[in-house]
């Protein structure tokens, strides 16, 4: 019998508790760096694409404050529930979580669209990230965080092997899409290709066991 092929949202939802156990060591520091790089100011509106459990959406909501707002969008319902709980614990009323495929999200006019560790999961990274850029106001900022080449060591293969003990890996072009944008030069060129002006690449290094 062949295992049921899952969607990317199914995989992240099924592993939500395990995923969230890594939040303090992995997702939250990367999310904080993403929101920091966005240069957010109080009152701004933010779309957090592929928000997971809120690693970058929570710091964004803290910074934009009660006059600002953050729409956090993901396909994985169980991660969204964790994000909602975390926002509630902090009383962040300006942060809303939505279950939706993000490239067809109906919002528009955002000051910032940020996407931490998400674009390479899209079925078509160029098409779907271009869709995100259309949700910005004129002059708005797109912030994309990706893994730098070599930074994951053998983690990606180990993760995939763990998923495949339970289910078939979703059809996703993620490895070859990430390989197109995993150096400062290729990431900057890609952002320019999407229509970005003045692309800026910031490298952050941290070690996690
Ligand atoms: C590696 S996780 C990163 C989550 C979060 N940004 C973080 O850094 O902790 C990738 C996330 O992208 C979401 N995702 C992938 N494709 C998506 C899509 N087309 N629409 C919405 N969410 C998507 C997955 O469900 C998953 O939660």
């Amino acid at each position: 019998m062949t295992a049921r092929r899952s969607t990317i949202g199914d995989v992240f939802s099924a592993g939500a508790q395990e995923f969230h156990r890594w939040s303090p060591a992995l997702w939250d520091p990367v999310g904080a760096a993403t929101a920091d790089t966005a240069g957010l100011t109080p009152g701004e509106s933010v779309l957090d694409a592929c928000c997971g459990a809120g690693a970058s959406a929570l710091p964004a909501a803290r910074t934009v404050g009660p006059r600002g707002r953050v729409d956090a969008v993901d396909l994985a319902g169980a991660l969204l529930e964790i994000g909602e709980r975390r926002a509630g614990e902090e009383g962040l009323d300006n942060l809303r979580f939505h279950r939706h495929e993000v490239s067809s999200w109906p919002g528009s006019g955002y000051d910032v669209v940020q996407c931490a560790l998400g674009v390479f999961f899209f079925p078509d990274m160029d098409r779907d990230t271009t869709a995100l850029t259309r949700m910005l106001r004129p002059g708005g900022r797109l912030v994309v965080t990706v893994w730098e080449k070599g930074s994951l060591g053998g983690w990606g293969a180990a993760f995939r092997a763990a998923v495949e003990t339970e289910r078939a890996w979703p059809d996703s072009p993620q490895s070859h899409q990430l390989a197109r944008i995993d150096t400062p030069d290729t990431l900057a060129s890609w952002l320019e290709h999407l229509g970005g002006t003045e692309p800026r690449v910031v490298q952050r290094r941290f070690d996690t066991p």
Side-chain angles (χ1 to χ4, degrees), residues 8-9 12 19 27 50-52 55 73-76 79 100-102 116-118 121-122:
I8 202 77
F12 279 98
F19 179 99
W27 312 119
C50 304
C51 64
V73 177
D74 201 287
L75 286 167
L79 286 179
H100 208 282
E101 198 289 310
V102 75
L117 309 174
F121 288 108
F122 291 155

Side-chain angles (χ1 to χ4, degrees), residues 7-9 46-52 56-57 70-77 80 96-110 112-136 142-144 177 190:
T7 67
I8 202 77
V46 179
L47 171 64
D48 192 295
C50 304
C51 64
S56 49
V70 179
D71 286 321
V73 177
D74 201 287
L75 286 167
L80 295 168
R96 293 270 186 279
F97 287 87
H98 313 269
R99 185 170 184 187
H100 208 282
E101 198 289 310
V102 75
S103 69
S104 57
W105 172 247
S108 62
Y110 293 99
V112 170
V113 173
Q114 58 181 26
C115 184
L117 309 174
V119 293
F120 39 86
F121 288 108
F122 291 155
D124 181 326
M125 183 171 77
D126 293 12
R127 178 198 66 197
D128 298 332
T129 311
T130 299
L132 296 185
T133 65
R134 298 205 179 101
M135 298 173 201
L136 287 166
L142 172 73
V143 181
V144 169
Q177 292 194 143
W190 179 70

Side-chain angles (χ1 to χ4, degrees), residues 3 16 22 29 36 45 78 83 106 113 124 131 141 174 199 204 206:
W22 295 343
D36 180 50
S45 61
V113 173
D124 181 326
R141 285 113 62 205
Q174 65 175 78
R204 301 282 182 110
F206 73 97

Side-chain angles (χ1 to χ4, degrees), residues 187-199:
L187 179 56
S189 306
W190 179 70
L191 290 168
E192 256 181 330
H193 170 74
L194 294 187
T197 50
E198 305 169 41

